[in-house]
Amino acid sequence: ETGVTQSPTHLIKTRGQQVTLRCSSQSGHNTVSWYQQALGQGPQFIFQYYREEENGRGNFPPRFSGLQFPNYSSELNVNALELDDSALYLCASSLKSGGQETQYFGPGTRLLVL
Amino acid sequence: QKEVEQDPGPLSVPEGAIVSLNCTYSNSAFQYFMWYRQYSRKGPELLMYTYSSGNKEDGRFTAQVDKSSKYISLFIRDSQPSDSATYLCAMSAPSGGSYIPTFGRGTSLIVHP
């Protein structure tokens, strides 16, 4: 196990609703990244937070937003849910060191939008 | 054309076989090349990473990177049923001080006894 936990494990929402997903980083890690993994696809980068500031963003609309807290736990918020938002949402924590960081993934939250 | 191309499989092999998994890419700026393993209903787990071209070996696993051909491979020797999983390649280039991986879609591997 990586020490990265996510909650909830599964979630069902309806189109137009809002959702908050949570992630607890591995101890000692200061960076968290969020990914969306559609069925049969690889993870797509949503954004990254480093020391509570957004540190990079993928090609996702502003209705995807996030927070990182002083204890390095994190939230992903998605507003105005669409059917295509149905996916596995993964968070990964790492320790920023100036080069390629080893990212440790949580088990994910599976979101279904009806 | 996607930045990273990976055949989704499934690839089915008998126990003990040598498995070859491959990815091609188009972005010549990629510097780090990684392989992740993802079991069903789990998050990806980093197996190996390589910086630039060359080979890297770790137990039964060997990663190869050929930057001139924009082609990377993962070899698994003496494959076991417990190796059955989806294998994701990923690669990254520097961007604003970070290296954000771009993933392939994954190859499903089935090792049958």
Side-chain angles (χ1 to χ4, degrees), chain A residues 2-52:
Chain A
T2 63
V4 180
T5 60
Q6 292 186 244
S7 62
T9 56
H10 295 83
L11 201 53
I12 299 175
K13 290 285 189 179
T14 56
R15 194 170 48 182
Q17 284 189 313
Q18 178 266 342
V19 69
T20 298
L21 309 181
R22 294 178 174 83
C23 172
S24 179
S25 298
Q26 187 173 91
S27 177
H29 285 180
N30 55 15
T31 303
V32 65
S33 303
W34 285 91
Y35 295 84
Q36 180 195 68
Q37 186 175 24
L39 196 62
Q41 302 296 320
Q44 297 293 309
F45 174 69
I46 303 175
F47 44 56
Q48 182 182 83
Y49 279 81
Y50 169 60
R51 292 185 174 176
E52 304 176 55

Side-chain angles (χ1 to χ4, degrees), chain A residues 11-17 19 78 80-87 89 110-114:
Chain A
L11 201 53
I12 299 175
K13 290 285 189 179
T14 56
R15 194 170 48 182
Q17 284 189 313
V19 69
V78 188
L81 284 167
E82 301 176 1
L83 298 180
D84 285 350
D85 295 334
S86 295
Y89 288 85
R110 192 165 296 278
L111 173 65
L112 177 62
V113 182
L114 301 175

Side-chain angles (χ1 to χ4, degrees), chain A residues 65-82:
Chain A
S65 62
L67 283 172
Q68 185 184 32
F69 300 102
N71 66 355
Y72 300 127
S73 64
S74 177
E75 285 183 357
L76 165 65
N77 298 290
V78 188
N79 293 322
L81 284 167
E82 301 176 1

